[in-house]
Amino acid sequence: MTVLAIADHRRGDLRDVSYELVTAGRQLADATGGDLHVAVISGEVDEFAENLNLDGVDAVHTVENGEEFNHDVYAGAVEALYGELEPAVLLMPNSVNGLDYAPAVANALDLPLVSDAVDFDYDDGLTATREMYESKVETTVDVDAEHVAVTIRGGEWPAATNVGDAEVSAFDYSPEGELGSRVLGFEEVTGGDVDITEADVLVSVGRGIEEEENLELVEELADALGATLSSSRPIVDAGWLPPNRQVGQSGKVVTPDVYLAVGISGAVQHVAGMKGSDTIVAINTDPNAPIFDIADYGIIGDLFEVVPELIEQFS
Amino acid sequence: MKILVTVKEVAEVEDDFEIDGLGIDEAYLEYDLNEWDDYAVEEAVQIAESGDDVEVVSVTIGPERSEETIRMALAKGADRAIRVWDDAFESVDLLDVAAKTRLLAAVVEQEEPDLVLTGVQASDDGFGATGVSVADAVGFEWAAVVNELELEESVANVRRELEGGVEELTEVDLPAVFTIQTGINEPRYASLRGIRQAQRKEIAPMGLDDLGLDASALDSPIELTGMREPESESDATIFEGDAEETAAQLADVLREKGVGAQ
Ligand SMILES: Cc1cc2nc3c(=O)[nH]c(=O)nc-3n(C[C@H](O)[C@H](O)[C@H](O)COP(=O)(O)OP(=O)(O)OC[C@H]3O[C@@H](n4cnc5c(N)ncnc54)[C@H](O)[C@@H]3O)c2cc1C
């Protein structure tokens, strides 16, 4: 059984999930004694191919075409590669770019799509583990098909590191006709005064705070602790704090000594930005909130009762 | 111009709940409009408000109960709504991306919108794939995770929010499907007047027949086979007691870590 994994890169660097895709792909290929093929599309493909020549990879296919991700190119190239290799499993990342081409590829190839897989097994067919209801429930799905498209969640498989001896070859593909979308450039989200990535202690506030007025309470706590204030996404979406305070996948990655999550559920995109903190503390009313899975210390309780007491302790 | 907005009624699980077989007992579920779709509706309504002759049609796949949710879209300014449902759906545990695509693509083909807006993902099943899949099925262009949208004559200029605070600026040919990210706008609350008006707006029910489909449209090789509470990997120390006691224990730990020391 052949597995084909599609690497992810941006602005000259392979993204971490590319190395994780190799581990995940090898896991599936091992289950059936098959081959793992990896493809890398656009950018400095030869350089990427060197990095993707990892233990467990049988072949690397390079598709030269433009510098950066364009979903029309990706979709076309993956479909062409699929036609050639007919992999049983087509593995793609559940990254923002993955979200932008994987569903189109699955539809075009008439493949069932299992998105955001966090684990899988292959016996007679694929059994994948996915989360539902904002990570409160874990499900298994069985796929009764000879071919399947899967996108994997970043950070769930260890990154492959050891150099291998894969066969590297160029795959000839160029899109037909005009592209329906054109990437014009990139911009860094800026603005604001504070660099939360520099802080040793972060008090981070989430939707549990309910109202903008209530932010004062956590500001007071941050002051009392000598900490910097950060937040989950909904607080920024609501315009209560500027974008440079947002922790997470689309915000900042922070690694403070202490991260105090107040009224934050711990959605995967939030955790992506703070799981590297030394000590994680959570205050949340919901004992099942996923934040407790990565917390070192927790209080299951109402922030409106706990935070004032905590302020008291430090003043 | 016609804008089609897909909306989904999502189930939210209460803090304490029980799993019963392949589902969660209704007693522990609350239903609401999917957060990401709320922003998609707002974006459509804002486009309609800034131009002449824009019709906003919202479409949902859901049982009769979901009319409550779709009325939220109507109350916020959508002109009319379509609700896709069929008795055949009752026995389906998991409507996969391909099945949703077949249903929504059939609606797009009937309505012939110039623009389709969806949420990036639904908070319950979390596939994050339907919008882009539908785009491919109907031959529209698309962009996923859009947090800014400006329409011109035959193209849209969008920003896609990538990871790590980087945005991509992309020009997309129309017609297109855009999956909308939270933060693109500020969703309005439905006004009382809006809510009253919504009562009079049309919610057209559509079954498989109406869409030119049959029960095979729901067939899926993906079967839900297990549901459980994730095993907690937590080795967190949970402080016990009332607010004062737990805060005091936490304060001790924080001080130990040097927090608050001037
Ligand atoms: C492509 C993409 C990128 C994203 N990027 C990011 C990102 O960078 N950062 C980010 O944070 N999110 C991001 N998200 C959003 C993410 O999926 C979640 O929606 C978000 O993190 C939820 O924020 P929250 O935890 O504050 O809110 P919720 O999930 O609503 O959680 C609120 C929590 O507060 C608790 N609570 C309520 N009342 C109280 C009380 N009185 N006392 C104590 N606790 C209380 C609740 O039990 C709940 O656990 C992204 C999503 C997508 C699709």
Side-chain angles (χ1 to χ4, degrees):
Chain A
M1 181 189 91
T2 302
V3 177
L4 172 62
I6 314 297
D8 213 22
H9 61 85
R10 178 173 312 141
R11 295 162 130 190
D13 287 317
L14 285 171
R15 305 193 61 244
D16 293 348
V17 72
S18 299
Y19 301 97
E20 296 159 17
L21 277 158
V22 168
T23 306
R26 191 65 246 166
Q27 180 190 333
L28 283 180
D30 276 347
T32 56
D35 285 349
L36 172 61
H37 291 242
V38 176
V40 60
I41 302 163
S42 305
E44 299 298 322
V45 290
D46 295 330
E47 194 187 311
F48 292 150
E50 271 177 46
N51 294 323
L52 290 166
N53 183 358
L54 294 159
D55 194 20
V57 178
D58 296 290
V60 181
H61 306 271
T62 59
V63 182
E64 222 167 329
N65 202 306
E67 268 316 295
E68 288 291 342
F69 174 81
N70 171 290
H71 67 227
D72 296 302
V73 172
Y74 264 61
V78 174
E79 284 157 35
L81 278 158
Y82 181 90
E84 176 112 347
L85 300 167
E86 293 187 350
V89 184
L90 173 59
L91 279 185
M92 294 167 282
N94 200 61
S95 59
V96 173
N97 283 343
L99 292 173
D100 199 48
Y101 77 93
V105 167
N107 185 72
L109 296 173
D110 209 8
L111 293 174
L113 173 65
V114 176
S115 63
D116 206 17
V118 296
D119 196 8
F120 41 54
D121 265 330
Y122 202 96
D123 197 349
D124 269 344
L126 183 83
T127 298
T129 306
R130 303 182 70 248
E131 292 181 342
M132 273 177 69
Y133 303 110
E134 301 173 304
S135 302
K136 285 193 180 178
V137 169
E138 198 176 81
T139 65
T140 33
V141 293
D142 285 0
V143 185
D144 181 18
E146 277 173 41
H147 302 273
V148 55
V150 180
T151 69
I152 67 162
R153 178 178 290 182
E156 294 293 326
W157 279 266
T161 50
N162 295 335
V163 178
D165 55 357
E167 198 173 305
V168 179
S169 60
F171 182 80
D172 209 13
Y173 165 80
S174 38
E176 283 166 36
E178 302 244 320
L179 298 180
S181 67
R182 294 154 294 279
V183 177
L184 305 176
F186 297 92
E187 250 173 50
E188 219 78 45
V189 180
T190 51
D193 42 342
V194 176
D195 186 356
I196 58 172
T197 64
E198 295 282 318
D200 295 330
V201 183
L202 283 171
V203 168
S204 207
V205 59
R207 184 145 44 194
I209 199 71
E210 288 172 12
E211 310 258 347
E212 186 171 13
E213 300 86 273
N214 299 339
L215 276 185
E216 254 176 57
L217 184 65
V218 278
E219 272 162 6
E220 236 181 278
L221 177 63
D223 278 350
L225 299 181
T228 303
L229 189 64
S230 60
S231 80
S232 67
R233 180 177 187 112
I235 304 300
V236 171
D237 284 343
W240 299 349
L241 285 176
N244 63 330
R245 301 279 182 142
Q246 180 180 317
V247 173
Q249 175 191 303
S250 46
K252 297 255 157 89
V253 175
V254 297
T255 50
D257 298 335
V258 175
Y259 187 88
L260 180 56
V262 182
I264 292 178
S265 63
V268 51
Q269 298 95 347
H270 184 80
V271 169
M274 46 67 75
K275 59 171 188 266
S277 307
D278 257 3
T279 300
I280 298 170
V281 182
I283 302 175
N284 199 307
T285 42
D286 178 4
N288 292 312
I291 190 79
F292 286 117
D293 286 343
I294 57 156
D296 300 290
Y297 299 94
I299 294 178
I300 297 167
D302 187 342
L303 74 91
F304 295 105
E305 291 170 15
V306 176
V307 171
E309 293 290 347
L310 204 51
I311 294 168
E312 185 100 327
Q313 289 284 336
F314 282 90
S315 34
Chain B
M1 185 168 80
K2 191 194 276 189
I3 307 175
L4 187 73
V5 192
T6 66
V7 300
K8 187 174 192 293
E9 178 196 68
V10 292
E12 284 165 15
V13 180
E14 289 187 3
D15 289 356
D16 288 307
F17 64 95
E18 275 166 37
I19 291 169
D20 181 12
L22 293 178
I24 293 167
D25 196 285
E26 282 289 324
Y28 306 107
L29 296 177
E30 275 179 50
Y31 293 93
D32 203 353
L33 175 62
N34 180 40
E35 185 179 358
W36 283 266
D37 298 346
D38 197 16
Y39 287 81
V41 169
E42 179 64 32
E43 196 62 18
V45 171
Q46 285 189 11
I47 294 168
E49 284 169 346
S50 67
D52 291 332
D53 215 19
V54 180
E55 189 188 24
V56 178
V57 182
S58 71
V59 56
T60 195
I61 303 170
E64 205 170 338
R65 185 198 56 232
S66 64
E67 292 205 348
E68 218 174 290
T69 305
I70 206 163
R71 285 217 193 272
M72 302 254 289
L74 293 172
K76 291 175 182 217
D79 297 292
R80 62 186 169 87
I82 296 166
R83 181 174 67 83
V84 178
W85 193 249
D86 207 285
D87 291 343
F89 291 41
E90 308 264 352
S91 54
V92 180
D93 283 326
L94 186 78
L95 208 53
D96 81 341
V97 176
K100 284 181 202 167
T101 300
R102 285 187 282 269
L103 298 168
L104 293 174
V107 173
V108 171
E109 267 147 21
Q110 286 196 4
E111 289 287 333
E112 301 185 322
D114 305 283
L115 189 65
V116 179
L117 302 182
T118 76
V120 167
Q121 62 175 22
S123 66
D124 53 2
D125 60 21
F127 279 116
T130 305
V132 171
S133 180
V134 169
D136 187 76
V138 299
F140 280 24
E141 256 302 315
W142 72 87
V145 195
V146 168
N147 69 353
E148 198 177 303
L149 167 60
E150 263 171 54
L151 294 175
E152 288 172 36
E153 201 43 35
S154 58
V155 295
N157 281 293
V158 303
R159 276 173 189 262
R160 291 182 57 231
E161 189 191 77
L162 307 179
E163 292 90 350
V166 178
E167 296 183 340
E168 177 197 285
L169 295 90
T170 303
E171 183 184 72
V172 184
D173 293 343
L174 296 174
V177 178
F178 296 121
T179 79
I180 301 297
Q181 171 67 311
T182 60
I184 189 174
N185 53 40
E186 219 175 296
R188 69 196 66 194
Y189 288 99
S191 66
L192 271 175
R193 188 161 149 265
I195 292 168
R196 236 180 290 125
Q197 281 176 345
Q199 296 302 326
R200 290 195 297 272
K201 290 182 184 171
E202 179 198 348
I203 302 179
M206 280 204 170
L208 289 168
D209 270 357
D210 305 306
L211 294 171
L213 299 169
D214 58 42
S216 69
L218 307 180
D219 284 351
S220 166
I222 301 180
E223 195 195 347
L224 188 65
T225 50
M227 186 179 280
R228 59 195 167 268
E229 279 192 52
E231 243 170 73
S232 174
E233 292 146 28
S234 175
D235 44 16
T237 305
I238 304 288
F239 301 117
E240 307 279 346
D242 64 16
E244 196 185 335
E245 289 157 2
T246 53
Q249 295 171 67
L250 176 56
D252 285 344
V253 171
L254 291 176
R255 279 198 202 93
E256 227 170 84
K257 308 260 169 208
V259 177
Q262 244 70 53

